[in-house]
Amino acid sequence: MKKEVRVRFAPSPTGFLHVGGARTALYNWLFARHEGGKFLLRIEDTDRERSTPEMVDYIVEGLSWLGLDWDEEPIFQSHRLDVYKKYADDLVKRGLAYYARTVDEEQAGERTRREWVEAAPEEIGKVPLAVRFRVPVEGETSYEDLIRGLITFKNSEIGDFTILRSDGTPTYQLACVLDDHFMGITHVIRGEDHIPNTPKQILLYRAFGWDTPLFAHLPMILGPDKKKLSKRHGATAVLEYRDMGILPEALFNFLALLGWSPGEDREIVPKDEMIRLFDIRRVGKRAAVFDINKLLWMNSVYIRMKTDEELLRLVLPLFEERGLVKDDSDREKLLRLIPLLKERARVLPDFVEMGFYFFSDEFEYEEKGVRKYLQDPEVPGRLRLLRERLADIPEGEFRQEKIEETLRGLAGKLGIKAALLIHPTRLLLTGRTQGPGLFELMEVLGRDECLRRLDNYLKRVS
RNA sequence: GGCCCCAUCGUCUAAUGGCUAGGACACCGCUCUUUCAAGGCGGCGGCGGGGGUUCGAAUCCCCCUGGGGCCGCCA
């Protein structure tokens, strides 16, 4: 019988869910789903000073938003402190670990440095002591990385390391090994920065007489300057991307392809396809630069894939916040507006940016447009004619086709190109020189509002 | 500094010894069009360097160079 695959994501609640962490979680999740195994969550909160419950909530919120779900109750390391201590003591009893303390050693001159010394027998039980694992000086420790192949370390270069702090809490090395063992973790998929920890943990597994899981180390995510991605590169927290109007599906897709490729020339890959195609061996080895530009493009693709109703639900709060949409008739208008805007939006707030003039006439004419379209002395006369013809259309017939027919008819009569009417009209109605097709936007705006906005201008120039 | 990892267009990547090194983002043209987007077509642009192995290397080996990670009673 094949053993069930069990993987975990083990964040430390000392900060927000970083996109690097999110991608690690994502790969674990994809792997588990592909293998029909379990994806678990473990909160590594043994560092009491830096861990906070709020961060746990934010991390959980970030994972949920991204669409990652886990299969069992999350494990909190802070709830299991007695377990770690017991196993550390066991190693001491068996001579594989020892009590130790630090001393400040005077180095030549003024510099002081902390050094570890094994505690004398009479000190044990009297002063706070840490437990250190004894690493053999001889031999080497190696493992087969699922992504990178054989990796070997000389034991002499590993050196003893602390497994239990003097306050009785475990360090990462100990807690990670014990929990992975008791959680039945079969594959440890984590960031490349953990490679140097791996031999230490393997040594611990052996000391306890346990089988080691399989390891896979993911490449780093870098900023545009090729340094490890951090706050100074801009947004790094998953929820920041949510707040800037990125869709979870887009970030999911983007992160999945940052370091992994399904092997076909595909960029937009639905989640179920990804699960089907995911293969940890196809994860690349080299660090990847986080290209926000490509994310924005991908987001625009996902926006266009949404239905108008879905988009309404997503952008309505943004319009309400700005006081632009107040009642049902506004909402109805917004829904009719969405198909005009979704081709042009890259992030959700773009809808507000590009659509606010449908709900408010408090805008200035774009200066470039004034220069280009309102300078010709013929313009006011032409627009007055257009205004009259539009006014003749019954309210109920103020449809895109009818408007177009009217405007083009007038242009024909005047012997001018339709563009000479279209551009100035757009400017007066929207303040912009660019945007959705004029006739579509006029229909949504409504006859009376169109006339009003034209009049605002015509009154001033007469 | 020591150890470890990595190296294909500006960026994300495909290629698993054998076609003119393919795709995507970005950029630049052309096209469609009332503008802007979207779409279509096209262009620019890459195997870090040097040695080997081989009939043949982006691909395998070695060296160099460059980049990154870790060297905590953080994870």
Side-chain angles (χ1 to χ4, degrees):
Chain A
M1 192 186 87
K2 203 179 154 201
K3 211 163 112 190
E4 180 191 53
V5 162
R6 290 169 68 84
V7 296
R8 54 29 176 213
F9 175 56
S12 157
T14 53
F16 296 94
L17 179 62
H18 186 273
V19 290
R23 192 192 53 168
T24 301
L26 183 51
Y27 284 10
N28 273 284
W29 184 90
L30 282 172
F31 183 71
R33 294 293 171 259
H34 178 84
E35 299 290 335
K38 296 281 194 290
F39 172 68
L40 312 176
L41 204 54
R42 181 172 74 228
I43 307 299
E44 309 225 323
D45 55 353
T46 58
D47 182 355
R48 291 139 151 184
E49 304 198 347
R50 299 200 306 146
S51 302
T52 69
E54 295 75 49
M55 288 304 167
V56 175
D57 295 341
Y58 282 128
I59 289 167
V60 163
E61 191 179 349
L63 291 171
S64 304
W65 176 75
L66 245 196
L68 304 181
D69 55 341
W70 46 99
D71 300 306
E72 293 174 11
E73 277 301 297
I75 303 281
F76 284 77
Q77 293 188 326
S78 58
H79 300 173
R80 299 168 41 78
L81 297 177
D82 49 330
V83 177
Y84 308 117
K85 179 145 179 32
K86 184 173 146 245
Y87 280 87
D89 286 343
D90 175 61
L91 290 182
V92 174
K93 275 195 205 93
R94 292 160 51 210
L96 297 172
Y98 57 92
Y99 288 107
R101 61 186 169 81
T102 54
V103 293
D104 286 343
E105 293 235 322
E106 283 293 329
Q107 289 297 94
E110 64 257 47
R111 278 243 327 255
T112 58
R113 212 181 82 194
R114 300 230 286 192
E115 289 270 319
W116 284 99
V117 292
E118 185 163 350
E122 56 273 20
E123 288 178 301
I124 294 168
K126 291 188 183 149
V127 290
L129 295 170
V131 177
R132 304 262 295 169
F133 183 75
R134 206 185 302 278
V135 174
V137 191
E138 298 290 314
E140 51 187 38
T141 300
S142 60
Y143 76 98
E144 187 76 23
D145 194 290
L146 260 26
I147 293 172
R148 289 150 210 278
L150 187 69
I151 297 182
T152 304
F153 293 83
K154 288 191 185 68
N155 289 342
S156 59
E157 270 145 12
I158 298 172
D160 296 357
F161 55 93
T162 303
I163 56 176
L164 202 71
R165 293 188 271 259
S166 53
D167 65 358
T169 61
T171 63
Y172 169 70
Q173 312 293 358
L174 209 225
C176 181
V177 166
L178 284 172
D179 287 338
D180 281 340
H181 175 72
F182 288 115
M183 289 167 77
I185 299 303
T186 56
H187 302 257
V188 172
I189 302 171
R190 78 235 289 199
E192 182 182 28
D193 45 340
H194 284 295
I195 292 177
N197 288 327
T198 308
K200 298 181 184 180
Q201 295 174 4
I202 288 173
L203 256 13
L204 281 175
Y205 279 102
R206 290 192 189 143
F208 290 121
W210 299 332
D211 286 340
T212 56
L214 266 20
F215 294 95
H217 288 95
L218 271 17
M220 298 271 112
I221 297 182
L222 310 177
D225 60 354
K226 306 273 184 112
K227 302 276 185 209
K228 192 172 176 175
L229 188 69
S230 70
K231 295 106 263 162
R232 63 197 168 76
H233 295 115
T236 53
V238 164
L239 294 180
E240 285 180 85
Y241 286 93
R242 176 194 64 186
D243 295 343
M244 72 176 64
I246 298 291
L247 300 174
E249 300 91 322
L251 188 59
F252 187 106
N253 194 148
F254 176 75
L255 252 18
L257 261 46
L258 199 61
W260 171 73
S261 162
E264 308 159 36
D265 286 336
R266 299 181 54 185
E267 304 293 331
I268 304 298
V269 187
K271 207 180 283 185
D272 53 346
E273 271 289 271
M274 249 182 230
I275 291 172
R276 192 171 69 75
L277 296 169
F278 189 75
D279 180 352
I280 191 78
R281 290 166 306 185
R282 283 194 64 90
V283 172
K285 296 183 184 70
R286 74 161 172 170
V289 173
F290 188 96
D291 183 3
I292 181 77
N293 211 23
K294 188 158 183 179
L295 204 212
L296 289 171
W297 164 77
M298 201 169 268
N299 202 52
S300 76
V301 174
Y302 275 91
I303 284 177
R304 273 176 267 138
M305 284 175 4
K306 291 237 174 252
T307 66
D308 296 346
E309 287 73 19
E310 286 172 321
L311 286 170
L312 175 67
R313 207 172 53 244
L314 290 165
V315 302
L316 182 59
L318 302 178
F319 280 85
E320 288 175 335
E321 264 168 37
R322 291 274 300 267
L324 294 169
V325 167
K326 300 185 194 72
D327 53 31
D328 281 349
S329 103
D330 289 338
R331 267 189 286 279
E332 196 265 336
K333 189 196 216 175
L334 180 54
L335 181 59
R336 288 197 292 146
L337 194 53
I338 283 170
L340 313 194
L341 302 180
K342 73 193 221 184
E343 289 289 310
R344 290 155 241 267
R346 297 214 296 174
V347 288
L348 263 14
D350 286 347
F351 282 86
V352 178
E353 167 66 23
M354 299 185 307
F356 92 97
Y357 57 75
F358 283 90
F359 300 96
S360 162
D361 62 1
E362 286 169 35
F363 53 78
E364 303 283 313
Y365 300 145
E366 211 177 284
E367 201 199 310
K368 187 181 84 187
V370 174
R371 242 183 297 120
K372 271 178 95 169
Y373 305 128
L374 299 182
Q375 297 302 64
D376 188 333
E378 301 287 323
V379 167
R382 290 173 186 159
L383 291 178
R384 203 162 276 122
L385 286 173
L386 177 65
R387 189 242 179 260
E388 281 164 21
R389 296 203 170 199
L390 292 173
D392 287 340
I393 303 175
E395 175 86 62
E397 290 172 35
F398 201 72
R399 298 275 171 268
Q400 187 179 321
E401 302 74 23
K402 182 75 179 172
I403 300 165
E404 177 158 13
E405 186 190 311
T406 303
L407 184 144
R408 289 196 190 278
L410 176 62
K413 188 113 185 222
L414 295 172
I416 57 173
K417 288 200 295 187
L420 288 177
L421 288 174
I422 289 171
H423 293 304
T425 303
R426 176 198 307 285
L427 185 67
L428 299 189
L429 296 183
T430 72
R432 313 277 178 93
T433 57
Q434 45 142 65
L438 179 68
F439 311 118
E440 321 168 65
L441 77 82
M442 285 177 76
E443 177 179 327
V444 175
L445 213 43
R447 187 192 63 179
D448 293 348
E449 186 60 25
C450 287
L451 296 179
R452 192 170 305 127
R453 291 186 185 185
L454 289 175
D455 286 340
N456 281 345
Y457 171 76
L458 293 172
K459 259 181 273 164
R460 257 182 288 151
V461 293
S462 60

